[in-house]
Amino acid sequence: MGQRWAPPVALIATAWDDVQERVAAITASVPGGADLDGLDVPARYTLGVFFAARWTVGLAGHRPLTGIDSTVTDDALRAELAVAEYLVVTQAPTWDLAAGVRAWIGWLVGAVDDLTYPQPRG
């Protein structure tokens, strides 16, 4: 990454490891797989974080919400963050996934200090 706005590489690696563990727990709890509709808000949020993280660490060549083929640049991050914000504010059907994307990108660019996850109810 190496951008001036990015957290230290070790911190990004730790956050990436954490989200991978969270996604593994989600997939382990759904034998045979599930679509997004079958998951709760915290799980869909976590998948949003995962999709954004995967793009920003260079493991996906497309943006997490728009699907546009893109490298990670300041402009691309701003554009994807704007889409995420719009989806959250308008409560679009994928707002919770978008909230996860917004959380990762916001943390990555220093707009928020901590990457947090919602807790399941109950």
Side-chain angles (χ1 to χ4, degrees):
M1 304 237 7
Q3 301 293 330
R4 66 183 176 281
W5 39 256
V9 172
L11 192 55
I12 294 169
T14 298
W16 171 240
D17 289 345
D18 178 58
V19 73
Q20 287 184 98
E21 289 175 16
R22 291 170 184 270
V23 169
I26 292 167
T27 57
S29 71
V30 186
D35 60 22
L36 286 176
D37 293 336
L39 300 174
D40 62 7
V41 169
R44 290 189 302 263
Y45 176 101
T46 300
L47 288 175
V49 172
F50 175 77
F51 295 143
R54 188 175 62 173
W55 172 54
T56 61
V57 300
L59 296 176
H62 57 277
R63 299 178 193 179
L65 293 172
T66 61
I68 296 170
D69 287 341
S70 173
T71 57
V72 179
T73 65
D74 288 344
D75 287 342
L77 287 166
R78 272 194 290 279
E80 204 68 4
L81 191 55
V83 169
E85 186 66 26
Y86 174 79
L87 293 172
V88 170
V89 169
T90 62
Q91 294 289 288
T94 57
W95 73 268
D96 40 12
L97 188 79
V101 170
R102 180 179 67 176
W104 177 270
I105 293 174
W107 171 75
L108 188 69
V109 301
V112 295
D113 292 334
D114 296 311
L115 180 60
T116 59
Y117 293 86
Q119 298 299 312
R121 290 186 185 181

